[in-house]
Amino acid sequence: MIVSWLAGLRQAVSSKLTIGIGGLLALAITSGQSLLEALEPPVLPALAAGAPLDAGRWRIVLHDARLTTQSRPDGSPAPDGAQFLALDLDIANRSSETDNSFVRVLTVDPPVEGLQPNPTFWLLRDKAMLSALQPGLPERVQVVWRLTPGAKAPERLRLIVTGQTFKPRDNLLAAPGWFNPKPVAAAILPVTAAEAKP
Amino acid sequence: MSEAVVSSGAARIRRLSLWVLPVALALGLFLQMQETAWEWWRSRELFARQVPTGSAANLGGAEWKLAGLRRVGERPDDRAVMLLDMDVVVRDPEAFAVLPCRLVLEAPDGRRWSPQFLTPSEVNRLPERRRLTIPTCTQALASKPQAGATLRISEGFVLPAGMNGQVRPVLSLPAGRPHYLRFEIPD
Amino acid sequence: MSGVFAKLGALVLAVMLLVGMQRYTPSYAEITGPIPLKGNLGETLTGRIFSVRGDKVLLAEKLRFKAYGREVERDTGGVFALVIARLEAQPASVNVGSAIWRSAQGVRFVASPRVQGAPRLLGTDRLEPGLPQRGLFIFEVPREAVAGATLLVASSRWPRLDTQVEIALPAKPDIPAPLIDLGELAYE
């Protein structure tokens, strides 16, 4: 009687201990993880103009940024005398499918006052709007932001490049795809002034 | 493991539970499927109603009558342009306003042509249509007419030449399914 | 002793079985994915809602065409691949909105948006039963993606439980022409 009671007690204690240790371990791991995440340096690797960068889905090379009076690469000046900020870049689709999500690759941060969001991407080869990039065919592209009339032109532009990672099977449909957008690099580009033309 | 001793009461309950299990499963399945089955029923074109020439039929909160189906022109590559006119009297405006409208031409072999946009020059050739805007079925439904309103609806179709006399208008509305209408055409 | 081996064997077997199931269970995307309909050039393939026949593949380094009243010339870092094909709706009017050039390596190239407005582009107009359209699919691909490719035609880019016609294209294609004028192309 006593022996069986003792055995039962031992079992209960050991099972409680297991549960307790497991719980503590899980707690330690998660808090360690969040600590690590919090400790992650907020400093992004710097990207220099002209240097290539693999941002997961895209490979990009930033070139010069400049102020211009042209709203599109081939065009005559905009009639209302508006100013634009143009940035040239080389971009290649590294994924295995034609895609048009390149509009989310670059973010102006900190935001420049007077710079309107949603820039237009121009394909310099066609001097037409870029609607999709084919895998393995790099293209020279011009990104054009419109400046609100009367706004002060920025002297430098800080751009954050957002990268994505490939998952062969996603969690919902088990289909391959690109996920987890994350800043991977930051570039500070000087903005050259508008070309002085008569 | 020692052999368990099971009392006769427990055995009876166990046997009963086993018998009840299929019933419970069937009931659960039925409750789960009910909505899906109903939706399937309401989205299918299952029962055609033939509408004799010159008479009107009820569907989706309105009375529908074929006013005319004729060939109005040709396009290159042996394509014919046909124009379909329908007269509608709205009875139940709420049921009538449920989109989308599926108004097609059907050949005896089951092929179906959906409406197409006609160029104004193709339609304006008809004298009675000049400076007249006749709504398509979707436009008429979207305009949410009152009860008792009478409407003229017109749709254009592009199909192989030589099909006139063989195709019949078929009308299917969300509020009328699983029933739909097939209009007989005058010889 | 033999009991230990039996237990070990059962464990190994169970692990192998589980790993195999985890590896080779078809995913949801595969189960509900496209239903392939395979064929060759010159064959008419009839799917659930349309039929298609691929006739010919042409390669070009440059394209010239008239779009919206303007003469347009397009060059490329790769090569333009043109497929002359015949499409017909079957049995009801339908849009066949997706054509994809799948390279031998499995890379998917969607029909090029750079030739918008070119004459006789397939996939722009709705198809009608009894009125087959003969025209072009135009792709822009790197040179290494040309040989042994497959043309995928479907009603959408990722058809779900619907036909995807897969036409095997030549394993040894011709040398690209320096320029193709789409206005002078012989379709028949």
Side-chain angles (χ1 to χ4, degrees):
Chain A
M1 189 65 193
I2 298 250
V3 172
S4 77
W5 179 79
L6 267 180
L9 186 71
R10 208 186 71 189
Q11 208 168 15
V13 167
S14 74
S15 68
K16 271 189 186 146
L17 265 180
T18 320
I19 294 167
I21 288 171
L24 278 178
L25 208 65
L27 196 70
I29 288 172
T30 47
S31 17
Q33 259 179 352
S34 43
L35 258 178
L36 264 182
E37 262 167 41
L39 282 179
E40 213 175 353
V43 189
L44 288 168
L47 174 65
L53 171 78
D54 276 358
R57 198 172 194 160
W58 308 103
R59 177 198 296 272
I60 66 167
V61 183
L62 298 178
H63 297 293
D64 60 321
R66 64 191 178 281
L67 287 169
T68 165
T69 50
Q70 293 177 358
S71 64
R72 45 184 298 164
D74 67 334
S76 42
D80 51 356
Q83 282 219 311
F84 299 88
L85 182 60
L87 166 73
D88 280 8
L89 65 133
D90 288 326
I91 183 162
N93 182 349
R94 294 182 67 234
S95 77
S96 65
E97 177 144 5
T98 309
D99 196 74
N100 63 359
S101 68
F102 45 79
V103 288
R104 292 193 288 272
V105 171
L106 293 175
T107 324
V108 181
D109 183 84
V112 174
E113 208 179 312
L115 202 64
Q116 295 185 354
N118 305 327
T120 315
F121 284 66
W122 296 94
L123 178 62
L124 285 183
R125 190 189 286 281
D126 292 355
K127 303 224 183 328
M129 264 210 262
L130 176 67
S131 43
L133 277 166
Q134 308 286 354
L137 290 175
E139 292 287 357
R140 175 66 63 96
V141 168
Q142 191 171 90
V143 191
V144 178
W145 286 268
R146 194 188 174 88
L147 271 167
T148 313
K152 189 177 159 289
E155 276 166 18
R156 55 168 50 87
L157 192 64
R158 182 167 181 271
L159 289 165
I160 289 186
V161 184
T162 306
Q164 283 175 305
T165 39
F166 181 75
K167 263 189 173 186
R169 296 160 80 87
D170 73 28
N171 297 343
L172 189 63
L173 300 174
W178 291 86
F179 300 94
N180 303 332
K182 239 187 197 170
V184 288
I188 296 174
L189 301 172
V191 177
T192 49
E195 60 269 50
K197 264 191 196 159
Chain B
M1 272 270 186
S2 67
E3 202 133 299
V5 183
V6 183
S7 73
S8 66
R12 215 178 59 219
I13 287 173
R14 194 165 68 184
R15 207 177 317 128
L16 196 74
S17 308
L18 272 176
W19 280 114
V20 169
L21 192 62
V23 180
L25 279 177
L27 196 73
L29 213 61
F30 172 74
L31 288 175
Q32 281 284 313
M33 296 265 298
Q34 209 180 14
E35 208 169 308
T36 320
W38 178 243
E39 228 149 75
W40 178 86
W41 177 254
R42 290 311 305 259
S43 67
R44 239 11 63 153
E45 291 169 9
L46 295 176
F47 311 109
R49 250 184 288 151
Q50 305 287 340
V51 184
T53 318
S55 63
N58 249 311
L59 189 80
E63 268 170 32
W64 298 79
K65 192 176 164 209
L66 177 64
L69 174 64
R70 60 209 156 127
R71 185 180 159 144
V72 292
E74 285 89 37
R75 285 189 187 176
D77 299 335
D78 268 346
R79 292 180 295 169
V81 179
M82 289 187 88
L83 204 62
L84 167 70
D85 291 310
M86 302 280 268
D87 283 330
V88 190
V89 185
V90 182
R91 296 286 177 220
D92 177 359
E94 242 169 73
F96 183 74
V98 185
L99 288 165
C101 167
R102 212 185 282 161
L103 185 53
V104 299
L105 292 185
E106 194 185 70
D109 58 6
R111 290 186 297 170
R112 285 178 164 207
W113 288 266
S114 300
Q116 252 199 14
F117 176 76
L118 301 184
T119 58
S121 68
E122 281 168 324
V123 182
N124 284 351
R125 223 178 296 165
L126 309 164
E128 80 270 16
R129 276 181 188 259
R130 276 205 194 114
R131 283 186 288 283
L132 217 65
T133 42
I134 302 176
T136 64
C137 186
T138 303
Q139 287 165 350
L141 263 60
S143 69
K144 295 188 178 159
Q146 302 281 312
T150 47
L151 301 168
R152 166 60 66 96
I153 284 173
S154 182
E155 297 275 14
F157 296 86
V158 176
L159 51 169
M163 293 299 287
N164 46 333
Q166 293 182 49
V167 285
R168 270 155 193 71
V170 168
L171 173 71
S172 158
L173 295 169
R177 273 171 227 145
H179 297 280
Y180 67 102
L181 303 180
R182 182 178 289 125
F183 293 88
E184 309 254 315
I185 50 167
D187 293 320
Chain C
M1 200 57 195
S2 69
V4 174
F5 277 121
K7 271 185 189 161
L8 212 66
L11 194 73
V12 168
L13 202 73
V15 166
M16 272 167 63
L17 202 72
L18 287 175
V19 167
M21 269 158 59
Q22 202 247 5
R23 257 318 135 74
Y24 296 107
T25 305
S27 70
Y28 179 79
E30 280 159 20
I31 295 168
T32 61
I35 298 165
L37 177 62
K38 292 184 185 173
N40 292 306
L41 279 182
E43 239 178 282
T44 302
L45 299 156
T46 305
R48 187 179 69 89
I49 48 173
F50 65 92
S51 72
V52 59
R53 191 184 73 205
D55 282 333
K56 207 172 172 189
V57 178
L58 300 169
L59 299 174
E61 278 160 359
K62 257 186 195 176
L63 292 180
R64 189 183 291 153
F65 54 90
K66 222 175 194 157
Y68 314 115
R70 278 220 330 249
E71 195 77 29
V72 181
E73 207 171 277
R74 293 280 187 247
D75 64 344
T76 168
V79 62
F80 285 112
L82 289 65
V83 183
I84 297 180
R86 179 183 179 278
L87 270 176
E88 187 181 345
Q90 188 87 266
S93 309
V94 75
N95 278 311
V96 173
S98 167
I100 289 170
W101 179 280
R102 188 176 67 196
S103 73
Q105 295 82 30
V107 183
R108 291 157 53 98
F109 299 87
V110 173
S112 177
R114 293 180 56 209
V115 291
Q116 232 169 39
R120 299 184 75 163
L121 272 189
L122 289 172
T124 40
D125 292 338
R126 198 181 67 195
L127 299 168
E128 306 289 344
L131 296 172
Q133 283 180 19
R134 236 183 119 81
L136 277 177
F137 293 119
I138 301 181
F139 305 92
E140 186 191 5
V141 302
R143 277 164 194 275
E144 61 271 19
V146 170
T150 311
L151 173 71
L152 311 180
V153 184
S155 54
S156 69
R157 193 158 157 184
W158 289 106
R160 319 290 306 170
L161 290 172
D162 199 359
T163 315
Q164 172 171 277
V165 171
E166 307 188 359
I167 299 173
L169 300 175
K172 281 212 178 120
D174 303 336
I175 293 162
L179 172 80
I180 287 184
D181 190 327
L182 299 183
E184 293 165 7
L185 208 57
Y187 289 87
E188 305 305 328

